[in-house]
Amino acid sequence: MVARTNSQPSADLPAFRVLMGSAVGVALAQGVAAQPAPTAPQAIPPAGAAVQLPPISVQGAGQGGYQATVPSLPKLTQPLLDTPQSISVIPQQLMEDQGTTTVRDALRNVPGISLAAGEGGAQGDSLTLRGFSARNDFFLDGMRDFGSYYRDPFNLNNIEVLKGPASIMFGRGSTGGVVNQVSKQPQMAPIMAGTGTVGTDRTFRFTTDINQPLTNIDNAAFRLNLMGNLNGISARDGAEYRRFGIAPSVTFGLGTDTRLTFSYFHQQEDNTPDYGLPWLFANPAPVNRQNFYGFQNDDFLRTQVDIGTIRLEHDFNENVSFRNQFRYANYQRAGRITEPQVAYAGINQNTPLNRITVNRNLISVFSTESFMQNQSDVTVRFNTGPLKHTVVAGIELGRETSDPTRVSYTGVPTTNLLFPNLNQPFTFTSNRISTQVTTTSNSYSAYFVDTIELDEHWDLIAGFRWDTFYTRYKQAIPPVVNLSRTDDMPSWRAAIVYKPIQTGSIYFAYGTSFNPSAESLSLAANTASLAPEKNETFEIGTKWLVNDGRLTLNGSIFQITKLNARVPDPFNSAFNVLGGNQRVRGFEFGVAGNLTEAWEVYAGYAYLNSVVLESTLPATVGQPLGNTPKHTLSVWSTYELPWHGIEIGGGVQYVSSRIASSTPNGTTGLIEVAPGYVTVQAMAKYPISPGIELQLNAYNITNTKYYDLLHPAHVVPGAGPSVLLTTSFKL
């Protein structure tokens, strides 16, 4: 029996194909688009002398700047310099200089992040942050972005990575931190920009960025961002990625006390996904990195993301402001993906590779997730005697749903480990719906954070949040299962900041977070009775502005502990208990900004010492946490040459060895390990004429053969050498 399932959710991408057909070879570019201006004046003056530092704009290499000074989240009221938390900001200029086409690639710049492969039931972006999974910790403008899709940065002004438990700001999750994507916003300055890109990895891509003040309405502007993308993966057969996106937004009241913004984001994909190679005993299978074990003509992942947001901001006076943000998001997903797994029966470590069979494990899922939330918060500044307070308080109400249906197949043909046939048609003997689930979660939250300026040198920060997270779960396929769970959880945050001089700070911070059993909108009989996992962090850090304020230096030492991790019940393996303990200790440092007017740098290093301290599984105790390398290093630098406006740049990324999971493989009894690697990138820019520029990016120029994305059941090789040529314009 031969099957080609093409009737699943709307993902034939007609708009994408039309736009790509007309755009290939066209030189459009957003590459040198100007940074958006603030949507309103700084009506509420920051407290404290150090906060009076203006944002620094350096017209050096790249013209946009790698240095960030102010966070986007209204819950963070101080400049980054005085915010007692490690925060890495990936600016738009850095993404443009690196030719970044995915959020996943942008995150490679952040020390402490290690990318992961797609989960069995959840595809799209996945990563660990400071040793703990952050797959469910993506946010868009401060609101959860739950969908399982591959995010494109075409509508992003920057990406903020806030590290360490932070449930006080974000609710459930955030054990290792969160990734907050910051959207481009309308502004009064006109923009007409775009990019057109072609590449040796079969890349054809365009973006446009148009911003225009509305002529008939005072203080209003409209912005439109578009993207079309088609690419393969260098040195990887089979995989192909096709995306289209559109993001219109309009703001009324720019520069006034009251601002109202309507925004919409749409992205859809039609991919032939890549689940890479199988593990062979304790290592990635030693085969040609081009080997593709799926069905190239029949595997697919189709997603459609629609996010609508309304934001109202009002400044009552210089001391009181109000903000309300409402969002509804819908995420559709349809996938049938092949995961290669070695058939271990009858083989050993001396068996020739050409005699080893690979089973094709079909992961088939069709689902719709929805997200609806309203956030309201107020910021108030007042004095109590000599103490200056900045208080942010708010409430959040949300409803999330998920209804995945999974299909299992029997009789799927196997293939040979050494010589897989990617053109083999997908066939099967039988199929059936294995699970059909409906989950609904309601959340109610209230929080309060007070930043107290004791004097010009000392700040105290104290905060509290209360979350109620209620979930109903139903499995419709017999045996029918109905589960529910309510969690009421407090979260805390406390910090002290010492500012010896205006351009430096030293801080100590403590924070907590929690992970409920239904965190990923799913429950199971073995976890439904369990209270949330609890996490805490201690961090000591320092931040400095040097080189006349044009360069930011930061460093921190930290410890994150998961106090009661879920582990199997030693008396009944069908259930879990909260009997585990996991810890990550480490340090990191970073630098961002200008060394000279022409020389710019963005770099960071993190050391993570992770360990399973307690578990009911003795084999895991003493092991490091899965996908947590001890060392991650990223360095990127650009230099503007003194003639013809030519700019050159390059970088290095290093990830040390890491294991796929702390738990040994259930078949081999071994812990799977991927070796460390170093990759090298380079860039050159040449201005053709005012407003038009050519940019050449080269990736993995040393042709390093490495393993990029880890999962306990498969491992995805990194891309081989490739080159992208981009033409950009800004009028």
Side-chain angles (χ1 to χ4, degrees):
M1 180 177 181
V2 178
R4 295 176 64 91
T5 306
N6 293 315
S7 60
Q8 310 308 334
S10 60
D12 59 346
L13 305 182
F16 169 81
R17 292 191 175 105
V18 170
L19 284 169
M20 285 303 294
S22 62
V24 171
V26 177
L28 299 173
Q30 172 192 340
V32 291
Q35 298 286 343
T39 57
Q42 185 71 21
I44 301 177
V51 180
Q52 301 297 330
L53 288 172
I56 297 170
S57 176
V58 181
Q59 297 299 317
Q63 298 183 5
Y66 295 168
Q67 186 185 44
T69 58
V70 180
S72 72
L73 293 166
K75 297 173 186 177
L76 299 175
T77 60
Q78 307 303 306
L80 290 173
L81 179 69
D82 299 330
T83 299
Q85 185 174 4
S86 293
I87 301 176
S88 297
V89 180
I90 307 167
Q92 179 185 346
Q93 187 64 56
L94 178 65
M95 291 186 278
E96 291 172 353
D97 288 350
Q98 293 180 339
T100 301
T101 60
T102 65
V103 168
R104 181 171 65 184
D105 284 343
L107 292 172
R108 297 179 191 277
N109 292 287
V110 179
I113 280 183
S114 181
L115 301 176
E119 300 282 347
Q123 292 70 48
D125 295 324
S126 183
L127 56 90
T128 58
L129 176 52
R130 283 191 173 177
F132 297 93
S133 173
R135 190 185 71 80
N136 298 315
D137 295 318
F138 281 88
F139 287 75
L140 180 63
D141 298 321
M143 304 183 87
R144 195 175 298 274
D145 182 23
F146 184 80
S148 296
Y149 68 105
Y150 294 102
R151 293 161 178 84
D152 192 290
F154 78 99
N155 190 45
L156 297 184
N157 189 57
N158 60 62
I159 303 170
E160 299 170 331
V161 181
L162 294 85
K163 301 170 187 176
S167 281
I168 191 173
M169 288 191 289
F170 300 102
R172 72 183 193 270
S174 75
T175 309
V178 304
V179 176
N180 182 47
Q181 306 159 90
V182 183
S183 298
K184 297 175 182 177
Q185 299 294 318
Q187 60 180 61
M188 293 306 295
I191 295 174
M192 177 69 70
T195 63
T197 301
V198 295
T200 59
D201 58 357
R202 308 188 303 280
T203 290
F204 298 93
R205 177 180 174 88
F206 77 88
T207 66
T208 60
D209 183 4
I210 302 170
N211 184 90
Q212 184 61 45
L214 301 181
T215 56
N216 298 326
I217 304 176
D218 292 339
N219 306 110
F222 172 80
R223 191 162 189 172
L224 176 67
N225 278 271
L226 289 168
M227 173 274 300
N229 186 93
L230 169 66
N231 72 276
I233 303 295
S234 176
R236 287 292 297 153
D237 290 340
E240 190 168 70
Y241 296 88
R242 300 168 286 270
R243 296 189 300 275
F244 166 74
I246 182 171
S249 57
V250 60
T251 298
F252 302 95
L254 285 166
T256 71
D257 290 339
T258 303
R259 287 89 58 197
L260 179 63
T261 299
F262 298 88
S263 63
Y264 171 69
F265 175 86
H266 172 87
Q267 182 184 309
Q268 59 190 65
E269 303 172 278
D270 186 359
N271 300 333
T272 304
D274 184 7
Y275 268 31
L277 311 177
W279 295 97
L280 181 60
F281 296 103
N283 302 292
V287 298
N288 192 320
R289 67 176 170 182
Q290 290 181 299
N291 280 10
F292 185 82
Y293 294 88
F295 300 96
Q296 182 182 24
N297 300 316
D298 296 280
D299 286 3
F300 63 89
L301 175 63
R302 300 170 185 146
T303 68
Q304 182 167 301
V305 178
D306 294 279
I307 303 173
T309 307
I310 303 173
R311 182 173 64 250
L312 173 66
E313 302 166 287
H314 178 69
D315 300 328
F316 291 94
N317 53 49
E318 64 179 11
N319 294 317
V320 181
S321 64
F322 171 79
R323 182 178 185 267
N324 180 271
Q325 188 164 247
F326 173 81
R327 172 172 296 165
Y328 178 78
N330 183 273
Y331 304 90
Q332 296 184 43
R333 175 172 48 129
R336 190 178 61 219
I337 306 168
T338 303
E339 180 181 60
Q341 297 180 354
V342 165
Y344 283 102
I347 71 169
N348 57 49
Q349 298 193 35
N350 296 318
T351 302
L353 297 181
N354 62 356
R355 296 179 58 187
I356 295 177
T357 297
V358 172
N359 292 327
R360 286 161 159 159
N361 176 39
L362 262 294
I363 298 168
S364 181
V365 60
F366 310 96
S367 71
T368 298
E369 278 79 42
S370 72
F371 173 87
M372 182 169 61
Q373 187 179 69
N374 189 84
Q375 293 181 346
S376 296
D377 54 64
V378 60
T379 302
V380 181
R381 300 181 189 274
F382 61 93
N383 297 339
T384 55
L387 305 181
K388 299 179 181 179
H389 298 261
T390 302
V391 173
V392 181
I395 58 174
E396 297 178 3
L397 307 174
R399 180 181 178 88
E400 300 169 67
T401 67
S402 178
D403 64 353
T405 296
R406 294 182 173 86
V407 180
S408 63
Y409 295 85
T410 60
V412 177
T414 61
T415 192
N416 183 267
L417 176 64
L418 207 56
F419 306 107
N421 182 2
L422 75 168
N423 293 312
Q424 184 176 5
F426 168 58
T427 62
F428 59 92
T429 302
S430 63
N431 66 338
R432 66 180 182 87
I433 296 177
S434 55
T435 62
Q436 193 171 43
V437 170
T438 301
T439 306
T440 301
S441 295
N442 295 322
S443 58
Y444 315 93
S445 310
Y447 67 91
F448 175 94
V449 181
D450 188 5
T451 300
I452 307 169
E453 182 186 346
L454 304 179
D455 57 33
E456 64 178 349
H457 295 296
W458 292 94
D459 287 350
L460 290 177
I461 296 94
F464 173 79
R465 178 178 173 126
W466 184 267
D467 283 273
T468 295
F469 188 62
Y470 170 65
T471 300
R472 298 190 309 273
Y473 172 95
K474 180 178 181 179
Q475 160 64 271
I477 300 299
V480 174
V481 177
N482 286 281
L483 301 170
S484 65
R485 168 110 201 139
T486 300
D487 291 302
D488 297 304
M489 284 296 297
S491 301
W492 306 88
R493 178 170 174 78
I496 184 169
V497 181
Y498 173 60
K499 298 172 283 190
I501 58 175
Q502 189 180 19
T503 56
S505 68
I506 303 167
Y507 65 87
F508 170 79
Y510 168 82
T512 67
S513 71
F514 68 98
N515 302 98
S517 295
E519 177 182 4
S520 59
L521 299 189
S522 180
L523 271 177
N526 64 342
T527 61
S529 63
L530 296 182
E533 297 176 318
K534 299 177 182 178
N535 318 289
E536 66 177 14
T537 185
F538 297 91
E539 180 171 304
I540 299 173
T542 185
K543 303 178 183 181
W544 295 84
L545 294 177
V546 299
N547 196 22
D548 294 328
R550 299 183 301 171
L551 189 70
T552 299
L553 306 177
N554 63 81
S556 65
I557 303 171
F558 54 85
Q559 174 178 295
I560 301 175
T561 306
K562 185 176 285 292
L563 301 168
N564 58 341
R566 284 184 287 269
V567 292
D569 188 333
F571 304 106
N572 186 348
S573 59
F575 290 88
N576 287 353
V577 295
L578 296 175
N581 189 295
Q582 302 167 355
R583 186 189 67 205
V584 178
R585 288 175 173 167
F587 63 88
E588 70 173 61
F589 57 83
V591 56
N594 279 68
L595 299 171
T596 69
E597 286 294 324
W599 186 6
E600 199 159 13
V601 64
Y602 190 98
Y605 167 79
Y607 171 81
L608 302 177
N609 184 359
S610 66
V611 64
V612 177
L613 296 173
E614 297 179 48
S615 176
T616 58
L617 299 174
T620 67
V621 176
Q623 294 290 344
L625 301 184
N627 199 28
T628 306
K630 278 194 173 182
H631 308 278
T632 52
L633 169 70
S634 177
V635 178
W636 176 265
S637 185
T638 58
Y639 188 81
E640 189 172 328
L641 299 176
W643 55 85
H644 305 301
I646 297 173
E647 186 178 339
I648 58 174
V652 173
Q653 291 179 341
Y654 168 62
V655 177
S656 64
S657 63
R658 62 225 194 269
I659 64 175
S661 173
S662 303
T663 304
N665 182 286
T667 301
T668 66
L670 301 172
I671 289 181
E672 297 147 336
V673 182
Y677 64 88
V678 176
T679 59
V680 181
Q681 297 77 40
M683 180 273 290
K685 289 183 183 180
Y686 179 75
I688 300 174
S689 63
I692 301 178
E693 189 172 61
L694 278 179
Q695 178 173 321
L696 187 72
N697 288 87
Y699 306 95
N700 192 9
I701 59 180
T702 57
N703 194 17
T704 299
K705 296 178 175 63
Y706 65 102
Y707 300 96
D708 188 28
L709 310 176
L710 271 63
H711 185 272
H714 61 277
V715 57
V716 182
S722 63
V723 174
L724 294 184
L725 178 63
T726 299
T727 304
S728 64
F729 81 86
K730 178 191 174 185
L731 301 180

